[in-house]
Amino acid sequence: MNEQVDAISELLSVGFEKSQRGSNYLETLADVDTIVFDKTGTLTNGTFSVVAVHPEAGYTEQSLLEVAALAESFFDHPIAQSVRDAYQGEVDPKRVSDSANDAGHGVTATIDGKHVVVGNAKMLAAAGVEAPDCEVVGTSSTSSSMIWTRG
């Protein structure tokens, strides 16, 4: 059983062409009849996109995307890139200080003197913010990133 789990793990992470064990893994996988994945997002190809922007009073869609793009400007993970792509403007990293990445949850930064949290509902809750749920199919407050500013 452990050999089958190792086979699946390696094939998913590096692909068959790069696998060091090649045909041995295929033979092992021939006996597998069920694969269970334990979390949303485990099976992705790394292509993310912004599907909805819901600004609160005082922000436009574009200004909210700008804040998110600035907060994500020092990070190279696929979600950060999708936020910057959605903004489509120039990002001035000099406006950002104290940026930090909380892997799997989001980022924090100070932008133009304001504390910003860009992350999932768990991260926003830790900052004392109740996250609204997004009604767009395929999103939820637990898996989608949201933005909150204070200051």
Side-chain angles (χ1 to χ4, degrees):
M1 176 79 147
N2 284 339
E3 189 174 333
Q4 291 170 330
V5 171
D6 290 342
I8 293 167
S9 179
E10 183 170 326
L11 288 174
L12 287 175
S13 65
V14 301
F16 179 73
E17 299 85 21
K18 295 179 184 176
S19 172
Q20 298 298 311
R21 300 177 208 182
S23 63
N24 292 343
Y25 275 3
L26 284 180
E27 290 172 17
T28 300
L29 289 174
D31 297 328
V32 174
D33 64 3
T34 305
I35 299 175
V36 178
F37 297 95
D38 68 345
K39 68 178 190 170
T40 303
T42 300
L43 297 175
T44 64
N45 63 9
T47 304
F48 298 92
S49 64
V50 174
V51 296
V53 179
H54 305 289
E56 295 287 325
Y59 288 92
T60 64
E61 285 188 15
Q62 194 63 14
S63 67
L64 192 58
L65 285 170
E66 179 183 26
V67 168
L70 285 163
E72 295 280 13
S73 63
F74 293 101
F75 305 103
D76 62 356
H77 56 82
I79 293 174
Q81 184 61 51
S82 71
V83 169
R84 291 191 301 270
D85 290 346
Y87 172 54
Q88 298 179 344
E90 288 294 319
V91 174
D92 180 4
K94 294 177 193 161
R95 295 173 56 195
V96 183
S97 62
D98 303 320
S99 62
N101 183 16
D102 184 358
H105 300 288
V107 301
T108 59
T110 301
I111 300 170
D112 300 329
K114 293 182 180 180
H115 180 70
V116 175
V117 177
V118 178
N120 61 20
K122 185 175 182 178
M123 187 165 185
L124 292 180
V129 178
E130 184 179 331
D133 201 11
C134 182
E135 300 299 322
V136 175
V137 174
T139 64
S140 73
S141 60
T142 56
S143 65
S144 300
S145 291
M146 292 163 269
I147 305 158
W148 174 74
T149 65
R150 172 179 56 200

Coordinates of all heavy atoms in Angstrom, one line a residue, residues 57-145:
A57 N -17.6 49.9 0.0 CA -17.7 51.3 -0.2 C -16.3 51.9 -0.1 O -15.5 51.5 0.8 CB -18.6 52.0 0.9
G58 N -16.0 52.9 -1.0 CA -14.7 53.5 -1.0 C -13.7 52.9 -1.9 O -12.6 53.5 -2.1
Y59 N -14.0 51.8 -2.5 CA -13.1 51.1 -3.5 C -13.9 50.8 -4.8 O -15.1 50.5 -4.8 CB -12.6 49.8 -2.9 CG -11.6 49.9 -1.8 CD1 -12.0 50.0 -0.5 CD2 -10.2 50.1 -2.1 CE1 -11.0 50.1 0.5 CE2 -9.3 50.3 -1.1 CZ -9.7 50.3 0.2 OH -8.8 50.4 1.2
T60 N -13.1 50.9 -5.9 CA -13.6 50.4 -7.2 C -13.0 49.0 -7.4 O -12.1 48.7 -6.7 CB -13.2 51.3 -8.3 OG1 -11.8 51.3 -8.4 CG2 -13.7 52.8 -8.1
E61 N -13.5 48.3 -8.4 CA -12.9 47.0 -8.7 C -11.4 47.2 -9.0 O -10.5 46.5 -8.5 CB -13.6 46.4 -9.9 CG -14.9 45.8 -9.6 CD -15.5 44.9 -10.7 OE1 -14.7 44.6 -11.7 OE2 -16.7 44.6 -10.6
Q62 N -11.1 48.3 -9.8 CA -9.7 48.5 -10.2 C -8.8 48.9 -9.0 O -7.7 48.4 -8.8 CB -9.6 49.6 -11.3 CG -8.3 49.7 -12.0 CD -7.9 48.4 -12.7 OE1 -8.7 47.5 -13.0 NE2 -6.7 48.3 -13.1
S63 N -9.3 49.7 -8.1 CA -8.5 50.1 -6.9 C -8.3 48.9 -6.0 O -7.2 48.8 -5.4 CB -9.1 51.3 -6.2 OG -10.4 51.0 -5.6
L64 N -9.3 48.1 -5.8 CA -9.1 46.9 -5.0 C -8.1 45.9 -5.6 O -7.3 45.4 -4.9 CB -10.5 46.2 -4.8 CG -10.6 45.1 -3.8 CD1 -10.2 45.7 -2.4 CD2 -12.0 44.5 -3.7
L65 N -8.2 45.7 -6.9 CA -7.2 44.9 -7.6 C -5.8 45.5 -7.4 O -4.8 44.7 -7.3 CB -7.5 44.7 -9.0 CG -8.7 43.7 -9.3 CD1 -9.1 43.8 -10.8 CD2 -8.3 42.3 -9.0
E66 N -5.7 46.8 -7.5 CA -4.4 47.4 -7.3 C -3.8 47.1 -5.9 O -2.6 46.8 -5.8 CB -4.5 48.9 -7.5 CG -3.1 49.6 -7.3 CD -3.3 51.1 -7.5 OE1 -4.3 51.7 -7.2 OE2 -2.2 51.8 -7.8
V67 N -4.6 47.2 -4.9 CA -4.2 46.9 -3.5 C -3.7 45.5 -3.4 O -2.6 45.2 -2.9 CB -5.3 47.3 -2.5 CG1 -4.9 46.7 -1.1 CG2 -5.5 48.8 -2.4
A68 N -4.5 44.6 -4.0 CA -4.1 43.2 -4.0 C -2.8 42.9 -4.7 O -2.0 42.2 -4.3 CB -5.3 42.3 -4.5
A69 N -2.7 43.5 -5.9 CA -1.5 43.3 -6.7 C -0.3 43.9 -6.0 O 0.8 43.3 -6.1 CB -1.7 44.0 -8.1
L70 N -0.4 45.0 -5.4 CA 0.7 45.5 -4.6 C 1.1 44.6 -3.4 O 2.3 44.3 -3.2 CB 0.3 46.9 -4.0 CG 0.4 48.1 -5.0 CD1 -0.4 49.3 -4.5 CD2 1.8 48.4 -5.4
A71 N 0.1 44.1 -2.7 CA 0.4 43.2 -1.6 C 1.1 41.9 -2.1 O 1.9 41.3 -1.4 CB -0.9 42.8 -0.9
E72 N 0.7 41.4 -3.3 CA 1.3 40.2 -3.9 C 2.5 40.5 -4.7 O 3.1 39.5 -5.2 CB 0.2 39.5 -4.7 CG -1.0 39.0 -4.0 CD -0.8 37.7 -3.3 OE1 0.4 37.3 -3.2 OE2 -1.8 37.1 -2.9
S73 N 3.0 41.7 -4.7 CA 4.1 42.0 -5.7 C 5.4 41.4 -5.4 O 6.2 41.3 -6.3 CB 4.3 43.6 -5.7 OG 4.7 44.1 -4.5
F74 N 5.6 40.9 -4.2 CA 6.9 40.3 -3.9 C 6.9 38.8 -3.9 O 7.8 38.1 -3.5 CB 7.4 40.8 -2.5 CG 7.8 42.2 -2.5 CD1 6.9 43.1 -2.0 CD2 9.0 42.7 -3.0 CE1 7.2 44.5 -2.0 CE2 9.3 44.0 -3.0 CZ 8.4 44.9 -2.5
F75 N 5.8 38.2 -4.3 CA 5.6 36.8 -4.3 C 5.4 36.2 -5.7 O 4.8 36.9 -6.5 CB 4.4 36.4 -3.3 CG 4.6 37.0 -2.0 CD1 3.9 38.1 -1.6 CD2 5.6 36.5 -1.1 CE1 4.1 38.7 -0.4 CE2 5.8 37.1 0.1 CZ 5.0 38.2 0.5
D76 N 5.9 35.0 -5.9 CA 5.8 34.4 -7.3 C 4.9 33.2 -7.4 O 5.0 32.5 -8.4 CB 7.2 34.1 -7.8 CG 7.9 33.1 -6.9 OD1 7.4 32.6 -5.9 OD2 9.1 32.7 -7.3
H77 N 4.1 32.9 -6.4 CA 3.2 31.8 -6.5 C 2.1 32.1 -7.5 O 1.8 33.2 -7.9 CB 2.6 31.4 -5.1 CG 1.9 32.5 -4.4 ND1 0.6 32.8 -4.7 CD2 2.4 33.3 -3.4 CE1 0.3 33.8 -3.9 NE2 1.3 34.1 -3.1
P78 N 1.4 31.0 -8.1 CA 0.5 31.2 -9.1 C -0.7 32.2 -8.8 O -1.2 32.9 -9.6 CB -0.1 29.8 -9.4 CG 1.1 28.9 -9.0 CD 1.7 29.6 -7.8
I79 N -1.2 32.1 -7.5 CA -2.3 33.0 -7.2 C -1.8 34.5 -7.2 O -2.5 35.4 -7.7 CB -2.9 32.6 -5.8 CG1 -3.5 31.3 -5.9 CG2 -3.9 33.7 -5.3 CD1 -4.1 30.7 -4.6
A80 N -0.6 34.8 -6.7 CA -0.1 36.1 -6.8 C 0.0 36.6 -8.2 O -0.4 37.7 -8.5 CB 1.3 36.2 -6.1
Q81 N 0.4 35.7 -9.1 CA 0.5 36.1 -10.5 C -0.8 36.4 -11.1 O -1.0 37.3 -11.9 CB 1.2 35.0 -11.3 CG 1.5 35.4 -12.8 CD 2.3 36.6 -12.9 OE1 3.4 36.7 -12.4 NE2 1.9 37.6 -13.7
S82 N -1.8 35.6 -10.7 CA -3.2 35.8 -11.3 C -3.8 37.1 -10.8 O -4.5 37.8 -11.5 CB -4.1 34.7 -10.9 OG -4.4 34.6 -9.5
V83 N -3.4 37.5 -9.6 CA -3.9 38.8 -9.1 C -3.2 40.0 -9.8 O -3.9 40.9 -10.2 CB -3.7 38.9 -7.5 CG1 -3.9 40.4 -7.0 CG2 -4.5 38.0 -6.8
R84 N -2.0 39.9 -10.0 CA -1.2 40.9 -10.8 C -1.7 41.0 -12.2 O -1.9 42.0 -12.8 CB 0.3 40.7 -10.7 CG 0.8 40.9 -9.3 CD 2.4 41.0 -9.4 NE 3.0 39.7 -9.9 CZ 3.3 38.7 -9.1 NH1 3.1 38.7 -7.8 NH2 3.9 37.6 -9.7
D85 N -2.0 39.8 -12.8 CA -2.6 39.8 -14.2 C -3.9 40.5 -14.3 O -4.2 41.2 -15.2 CB -2.7 38.4 -14.7 CG -1.3 37.7 -15.0 OD1 -0.3 38.4 -15.0 OD2 -1.3 36.5 -15.1
A86 N -4.8 40.2 -13.3 CA -6.1 40.8 -13.2 C -6.0 42.3 -13.1 O -6.8 43.1 -13.7 CB -6.9 40.2 -12.1
Y87 N -5.0 42.8 -12.4 CA -4.9 44.3 -12.2 C -4.5 45.0 -13.5 O -5.0 46.0 -13.9 CB -3.9 44.6 -11.1 CG -3.5 46.1 -11.0 CD1 -4.5 47.0 -10.9 CD2 -2.2 46.5 -11.1 CE1 -4.2 48.4 -10.8 CE2 -1.9 47.8 -11.0 CZ -2.9 48.8 -10.9 OH -2.6 50.1 -10.8
Q88 N -3.6 44.4 -14.3 CA -3.2 44.9 -15.6 C -2.5 46.3 -15.5 O -2.3 46.9 -16.6 CB -4.3 44.9 -16.6 CG -4.9 43.6 -16.8 CD -6.1 43.7 -17.8 OE1 -6.7 44.7 -18.1 NE2 -6.5 42.5 -18.3
G89 N -2.2 46.8 -14.4 CA -1.5 48.0 -14.3 C -0.1 47.9 -13.8 O 0.4 46.8 -13.5
E90 N 0.7 49.0 -13.7 CA 2.0 48.9 -13.2 C 2.0 48.9 -11.7 O 1.2 49.6 -11.1 CB 2.8 50.2 -13.7 CG 3.2 50.2 -15.1 CD 4.2 49.1 -15.5 OE1 5.1 48.8 -14.7 OE2 4.0 48.4 -16.5
V91 N 2.8 48.0 -11.1 CA 2.9 47.9 -9.7 C 4.2 48.5 -9.2 O 5.2 48.2 -9.7 CB 2.8 46.4 -9.3 CG1 3.0 46.3 -7.8 CG2 1.5 45.8 -9.7
D92 N 4.1 49.5 -8.3 CA 5.2 50.2 -7.8 C 5.6 49.6 -6.4 O 5.0 49.9 -5.4 CB 5.0 51.7 -7.6 CG 6.2 52.4 -7.1 OD1 7.2 51.8 -6.9 OD2 6.0 53.6 -6.8
P93 N 6.6 48.7 -6.4 CA 6.9 48.0 -5.1 C 7.4 48.9 -4.0 O 7.4 48.6 -2.8 CB 8.0 47.0 -5.5 CG 8.5 47.4 -6.8 CD 7.4 48.2 -7.5
K94 N 7.8 50.2 -4.4 CA 8.2 51.1 -3.4 C 7.1 51.6 -2.4 O 7.3 52.1 -1.3 CB 8.8 52.4 -4.0 CG 10.1 52.1 -4.8 CD 10.6 53.3 -5.5 CE 11.6 52.9 -6.5 NZ 11.9 53.9 -7.5
R95 N 5.8 51.3 -2.9 CA 4.7 51.7 -2.0 C 4.4 50.6 -1.0 O 3.6 50.8 -0.1 CB 3.4 51.8 -2.9 CG 3.5 53.0 -3.9 CD 2.4 53.0 -4.9 NE 1.1 53.0 -4.2 CZ -0.1 52.8 -4.8 NH1 -0.1 52.5 -6.1 NH2 -1.2 52.8 -4.1
V96 N 5.1 49.5 -1.0 CA 4.9 48.3 -0.2 C 6.0 48.2 0.8 O 7.2 48.2 0.5 CB 4.7 47.0 -1.0 CG1 4.4 45.9 -0.1 CG2 3.7 47.2 -2.1
S97 N 5.6 47.9 2.1 CA 6.6 47.6 3.1 C 6.0 46.5 4.0 O 4.8 46.2 3.9 CB 7.0 48.8 4.0 OG 5.8 49.3 4.6
D98 N 6.8 45.8 4.7 CA 6.4 44.8 5.7 C 5.5 43.7 5.1 O 4.6 43.3 5.7 CB 5.6 45.4 6.9 CG 6.4 46.5 7.6 OD1 7.6 46.3 7.8 OD2 5.8 47.6 8.0
S99 N 5.9 43.3 3.9 CA 5.1 42.2 3.3 C 5.6 40.8 3.8 O 6.7 40.6 4.1 CB 5.3 42.2 1.8 OG 6.7 42.0 1.4
A100 N 4.5 40.0 4.0 CA 4.8 38.6 4.6 C 3.8 37.7 4.0 O 2.7 38.0 3.7 CB 4.7 38.6 6.1
N101 N 4.3 36.5 3.7 CA 3.5 35.4 3.1 C 3.2 34.4 4.2 O 4.1 33.9 4.8 CB 4.3 34.8 1.9 CG 3.5 33.7 1.2 OD1 2.2 33.6 1.4 ND2 4.1 32.9 0.4
D102 N 1.9 34.1 4.4 CA 1.5 33.0 5.3 C 1.0 31.9 4.3 O -0.1 31.8 3.9 CB 0.4 33.5 6.2 CG -0.1 32.4 7.2 OD1 0.5 31.3 7.2 OD2 -1.0 32.7 8.0
A103 N 1.9 31.0 4.0 CA 1.7 29.9 3.0 C 0.4 29.2 3.2 O 0.1 28.7 4.3 CB 2.8 28.9 3.0
G104 N -0.4 29.2 2.1 CA -1.7 28.5 2.2 C -2.8 29.4 2.7 O -4.0 28.9 2.6
H105 N -2.5 30.5 3.2 CA -3.5 31.4 3.7 C -3.6 32.8 3.0 O -4.7 33.3 2.8 CB -3.4 31.6 5.2 CG -3.4 30.3 6.0 ND1 -4.6 29.6 6.2 CD2 -2.4 29.6 6.5 CE1 -4.3 28.5 6.8 NE2 -3.0 28.5 7.1
G106 N -2.5 33.4 2.7 CA -2.5 34.7 2.1 C -1.2 35.5 2.4 O -0.2 35.0 2.9
V107 N -1.4 36.8 2.2 CA -0.2 37.7 2.5 C -0.7 38.9 3.3 O -1.9 39.3 3.2 CB 0.4 38.2 1.2 CG1 1.0 37.0 0.4 CG2 -0.5 39.0 0.3
T108 N 0.2 39.5 4.0 CA 0.0 40.8 4.6 C 1.0 41.8 4.1 O 2.1 41.4 3.7 CB 0.0 40.7 6.1 OG1 1.3 40.3 6.5 CG2 -1.1 39.8 6.7
A109 N 0.7 43.1 4.1 CA 1.6 44.1 3.7 C 1.1 45.4 4.2 O 0.0 45.6 4.6 CB 1.7 44.1 2.2
T110 N 2.0 46.4 4.2 CA 1.7 47.8 4.5 C 1.8 48.5 3.2 O 2.9 48.5 2.6 CB 2.6 48.4 5.6 OG1 2.4 47.6 6.8 CG2 2.2 49.8 5.8
I111 N 0.7 49.1 2.7 CA 0.7 49.8 1.4 C 0.3 51.2 1.7 O -0.8 51.5 2.2 CB -0.3 49.1 0.4 CG1 0.2 47.7 0.2 CG2 -0.3 49.9 -0.9 CD1 -0.8 46.8 -0.6
D112 N 1.2 52.1 1.3 CA 0.9 53.6 1.5 C 0.5 53.8 3.0 O -0.4 54.6 3.3 CB -0.2 54.1 0.6 CG 0.2 53.9 -0.9 OD1 1.4 54.0 -1.2 OD2 -0.7 53.7 -1.7
G113 N 1.1 53.1 3.9 CA 0.9 53.3 5.3 C -0.3 52.5 5.9 O -0.6 52.6 7.1
K114 N -1.1 51.8 5.0 CA -2.2 51.1 5.5 C -1.9 49.6 5.6 O -1.3 49.0 4.7 CB -3.4 51.3 4.6 CG -4.0 52.7 4.5 CD -5.1 52.8 3.6 CE -5.7 54.2 3.6 NZ -6.8 54.3 2.7
H115 N -2.4 48.9 6.6 CA -2.2 47.5 6.8 C -3.2 46.8 5.9 O -4.4 47.1 5.9 CB -2.4 47.1 8.3 CG -2.3 45.6 8.5 ND1 -1.0 45.0 8.4 CD2 -3.2 44.6 8.7 CE1 -1.2 43.7 8.6 NE2 -2.5 43.5 8.9
V116 N -2.7 45.8 5.1 CA -3.5 45.1 4.1 C -3.4 43.6 4.4 O -2.3 43.1 4.6 CB -3.1 45.4 2.7 CG1 -3.9 44.6 1.7 CG2 -3.3 46.9 2.4
V117 N -4.5 42.9 4.3 CA -4.5 41.4 4.4 C -5.2 40.9 3.1 O -6.3 41.3 2.8 CB -5.3 40.9 5.6 CG1 -5.4 39.4 5.6 CG2 -4.8 41.5 6.9
V118 N -4.5 40.1 2.4 CA -5.1 39.5 1.2 C -5.0 38.0 1.5 O -3.9 37.4 1.5 CB -4.2 39.8 -0.1 CG1 -4.8 39.1 -1.3 CG2 -4.2 41.3 -0.3
G119 N -6.1 37.3 1.7 CA -6.1 35.9 2.0 C -7.4 35.3 2.1 O -8.4 35.9 1.8
N120 N -7.4 34.1 2.6 CA -8.7 33.3 2.7 C -9.4 33.7 4.0 O -8.9 34.5 4.8 CB -8.4 31.8 2.6 CG -7.5 31.3 3.7 OD1 -7.4 31.9 4.8 ND2 -7.0 30.1 3.5
A121 N -10.6 33.1 4.2 CA -11.4 33.5 5.4 C -10.7 33.2 6.7 O -10.9 34.0 7.6 CB -12.7 32.7 5.3
K122 N -9.9 32.2 6.8 CA -9.2 31.9 8.0 C -8.2 33.0 8.3 O -8.1 33.4 9.5 CB -8.5 30.5 7.9 CG -7.8 30.0 9.1 CD -7.2 28.6 8.9 CE -6.6 28.2 10.2 NZ -6.1 26.8 10.0
M123 N -7.5 33.5 7.3 CA -6.6 34.5 7.6 C -7.3 35.8 8.0 O -6.8 36.5 8.9 CB -5.7 34.7 6.3 CG -4.6 35.7 6.6 SD -3.4 35.6 5.3 CE -2.1 36.7 5.8
L124 N -8.4 36.1 7.3 CA -9.1 37.3 7.6 C -9.7 37.2 9.0 O -9.7 38.2 9.8 CB -10.2 37.6 6.6 CG -9.8 38.0 5.2 CD1 -11.0 38.2 4.3 CD2 -8.9 39.2 5.2
A125 N -10.2 36.1 9.4 CA -10.7 35.9 10.8 C -9.7 36.1 11.8 O -9.9 36.7 12.9 CB -11.3 34.5 10.9
A126 N -8.4 35.7 11.5 CA -7.3 35.9 12.5 C -7.0 37.4 12.6 O -6.5 37.8 13.6 CB -6.1 35.1 12.0
A127 N -7.4 38.2 11.6 CA -7.2 39.6 11.6 C -8.4 40.3 12.2 O -8.4 41.5 12.2 CB -6.9 40.1 10.2
G128 N -9.4 39.5 12.6 CA -10.6 40.1 13.2 C -11.7 40.6 12.2 O -12.5 41.4 12.5
V129 N -11.6 40.0 10.9 CA -12.5 40.4 9.9 C -13.4 39.2 9.5 O -12.9 38.1 9.3 CB -11.7 40.9 8.6 CG1 -12.7 41.2 7.5 CG2 -10.8 42.0 9.0
E130 N -14.7 39.5 9.5 CA -15.7 38.5 9.0 C -15.7 38.5 7.5 O -16.0 39.5 6.9 CB -17.1 38.7 9.6 CG -18.0 37.6 9.2 CD -19.4 37.9 9.8 OE1 -19.5 38.5 10.8 OE2 -20.4 37.4 9.1
A131 N -15.4 37.4 6.9 CA -15.3 37.3 5.4 C -16.6 37.0 4.8 O -17.2 36.0 5.2 CB -14.3 36.3 5.0
P132 N -17.1 37.8 3.9 CA -18.4 37.4 3.2 C -18.1 36.2 2.2 O -17.0 36.1 1.7 CB -18.7 38.7 2.4 CG -17.4 39.3 2.2 CD -16.5 39.0 3.4
D133 N -19.1 35.4 2.0 CA -19.0 34.3 1.0 C -19.2 34.8 -0.4 O -20.1 35.7 -0.6 CB -20.0 33.2 1.4 CG -19.5 31.9 0.8 OD1 -18.4 31.8 0.3 OD2 -20.3 30.9 0.8
C134 N -18.5 34.4 -1.3 CA -18.6 34.7 -2.7 C -19.6 33.7 -3.4 O -19.5 32.5 -3.2 CB -17.3 34.7 -3.5 SG -17.4 35.2 -5.2
E135 N -20.6 34.2 -4.1 CA -21.6 33.4 -4.7 C -21.2 32.8 -6.0 O -22.0 32.2 -6.7 CB -22.9 34.2 -4.8 CG -23.4 34.7 -3.4 CD -23.8 33.5 -2.5 OE1 -24.3 32.5 -2.9 OE2 -23.5 33.7 -1.3
V136 N -20.0 33.1 -6.5 CA -19.6 32.6 -7.8 C -19.3 31.1 -7.7 O -18.6 30.7 -6.8 CB -18.4 33.4 -8.3 CG1 -17.9 32.8 -9.6 CG2 -18.7 34.9 -8.5
V137 N -19.8 30.4 -8.7 CA -19.6 28.9 -8.7 C -18.1 28.6 -8.7 O -17.3 29.2 -9.4 CB -20.2 28.2 -9.9 CG1 -19.9 26.8 -10.0 CG2 -21.7 28.4 -9.8
G138 N -17.7 27.7 -7.8 CA -16.3 27.3 -7.7 C -15.4 28.1 -6.7 O -14.2 27.9 -6.6
T139 N -16.1 29.0 -6.0 CA -15.4 29.8 -5.0 C -16.1 29.6 -3.7 O -17.2 29.2 -3.6 CB -15.4 31.3 -5.3 OG1 -16.7 31.8 -5.3 CG2 -14.8 31.6 -6.7
S140 N -15.4 29.8 -2.6 CA -15.9 29.8 -1.3 C -15.1 30.7 -0.4 O -13.9 30.9 -0.7 CB -16.0 28.4 -0.7 OG -14.8 28.0 -0.3
S141 N -15.6 31.1 0.7 CA -14.8 32.0 1.6 C -13.6 31.2 2.2 O -12.6 31.8 2.7 CB -15.6 32.5 2.7 OG -16.2 31.5 3.5
T142 N -13.7 29.9 2.2 CA -12.6 29.1 2.8 C -11.4 28.8 1.8 O -10.3 28.6 2.1 CB -13.1 27.7 3.3 OG1 -13.7 27.0 2.3 CG2 -14.0 27.9 4.5
S143 N -11.7 28.9 0.5 CA -10.7 28.6 -0.5 C -10.3 29.8 -1.3 O -9.3 29.8 -2.0 CB -11.2 27.5 -1.4 OG -12.3 27.9 -2.2
S144 N -11.1 30.8 -1.4 CA -10.9 32.0 -2.2 C -10.1 33.1 -1.4 O -10.3 33.2 -0.2 CB -12.2 32.6 -2.7 OG -12.9 31.6 -3.5
S145 N -9.4 33.9 -2.1 CA -8.7 35.0 -1.4 C -9.5 36.2 -1.4 O -10.3 36.5 -2.4 CB -7.4 35.3 -2.2 OG -6.5 34.3 -2.0

